[in-house]
Amino acid sequence: MFKALLILTLLTSLSFSKMFQSVPPQDAKLLQKGKTKLYCPNCGMNLVKFYKTSHALKENTNTLQYCSLHCLVDANQHTDLIKAKVVDAKTLKFINAHDAYYVIGSKKAGTMSMNSKYAFLSKEDALKFQKANGGKIYNFHQAVDIAYRDLAKDNKMINKKRKMASKKGAMIFDKMCKTANRPAFHSYAAAKEYVLHSGSCAKLKDRQAQAIAIYLVKKSVPNLSNAIKVPSDAKCQICGMFVSKYPKWAAKITTKENKTYFFDGNRDMFKFYLNSKENLDKILVTDYYNIIAIPAEKAWYVIGSNVYGPMGNELVSFSSKADAMSFKKDHFATEVLNFKSVTPAIIEKL
Ligand SMILES: [Zn+2]
Ligand SMILES: [Zn+2]
């Protein structure tokens, strides 16, 4: 038994150190705090394991640390990233991303992306790395542009992998965890923290915990049967975008004359509602966590968060005030409002 355990440990540490991104735990600097500080807030991956591609961004008083440029960009779309930090792949110190030389497209594996991206403070180090591994050198601004361009393709690949991991995760969960309690999570990092540290599961390897986390988060994604039904050709009354692509953000207004208007976010819905001279009958918005249609007058709206809708800044709606409050905390938002307190001035400022 003891011998088997030893071999197992050796195998895991081998696979850990075989990865170019990994560093010994004592060499990894964690800039974020709290129970989930070891995990990327966007994907749940271990930040020591993917240290050499880590990025960080300060949010109000908090710093969030991401496993990769992909996750930084994915989680902060339409956000100014000029103050982001990145690990210098050579010295392992965090540096201002703005000062970094990025080597993109080298043969060293990327993190969350098929297009690898490593950063260096010294141009000489970047050139040395490029000479050994290929790729091209870019500045941060260009690297962010490339990461944006890679986003759709990379997310497609990631979703494919997640589907497989989720199946594995379900099996491991049934074998290694107390199955009477099968909680649902909104974030991979929170799910992972639960799996590894709540005492509900036996001791797991990082990739096993990751698979279970993916399973538990996926489990919490609801079906759309209670969502606002949006015809596929319906366009937002304000901005003209197709609404059915964004079930999480859909809103709908019906008039007494039975006319219907669709919106790709609450901001556009309020823009219409606050200026409408029509006889309005019913307003529906979407509960962001559960993707169900809820009466707009009873919903709670979170503003100033780091979650963006298809049109940018949004009022994120919830049927439960507790959900709105916890979303506010998780996403560094500024305020939770009820329907009546959403004024034209607030919409204007968003
Ligand atoms: Zn990540
Ligand atoms: Zn719109």
Side-chain angles (χ1 to χ4, degrees), residues 217-326:
V217 168
K218 190 179 162 251
K219 207 177 82 67
S220 73
V221 174
N223 61 35
L224 296 180
S225 55
N226 295 316
I228 295 174
K229 303 278 177 292
V230 183
S232 60
D233 61 346
K235 287 183 179 174
C236 174
Q237 194 61 25
I238 298 289
C239 71
M241 296 229 299
F242 283 110
V243 177
S244 62
K245 285 206 266 184
Y246 311 102
K248 265 189 171 180
W249 301 99
K252 177 186 176 182
I253 293 182
T254 316
T255 68
K256 293 238 158 73
E257 291 76 38
N258 232 349
K259 256 168 102 184
T260 49
Y261 298 109
F262 291 95
F263 307 90
D264 60 351
N266 293 329
R267 190 176 52 152
D268 280 354
M269 181 278 287
F270 273 111
K271 266 187 199 165
F272 181 88
Y273 163 76
L274 293 166
N275 292 304
S276 177
K277 306 255 177 324
E278 291 183 72
N279 243 330
L280 305 186
D281 182 31
K282 209 160 110 186
I283 311 175
L284 290 174
V285 296
T286 300
D287 180 290
Y288 182 79
Y289 277 160
N290 302 302
I291 319 194
I292 53 174
I294 53 175
E297 294 86 349
K298 289 190 177 151
W300 297 93
Y301 300 88
V302 184
I303 59 170
S305 77
N306 61 1
V307 172
Y308 299 88
M311 295 300 288
N313 288 330
E314 265 301 349
L315 304 105
V316 186
S317 43
F318 297 89
S319 54
S320 123
K321 190 173 187 184
D323 278 354
M325 298 300 286
S326 93

Side-chain angles (χ1 to χ4, degrees), residues 313 344-350:
N313 288 330
I346 285 172
I347 298 299
E348 198 60 37
K349 258 199 287 175
L350 277 180

Side-chain angles (χ1 to χ4, degrees), residues 40 42-45 66-68 71 112:
C40 172
N42 192 52
C43 73
M45 294 212 303
Y66 300 92
C67 70
S68 56
C71 281
M112 299 298 275

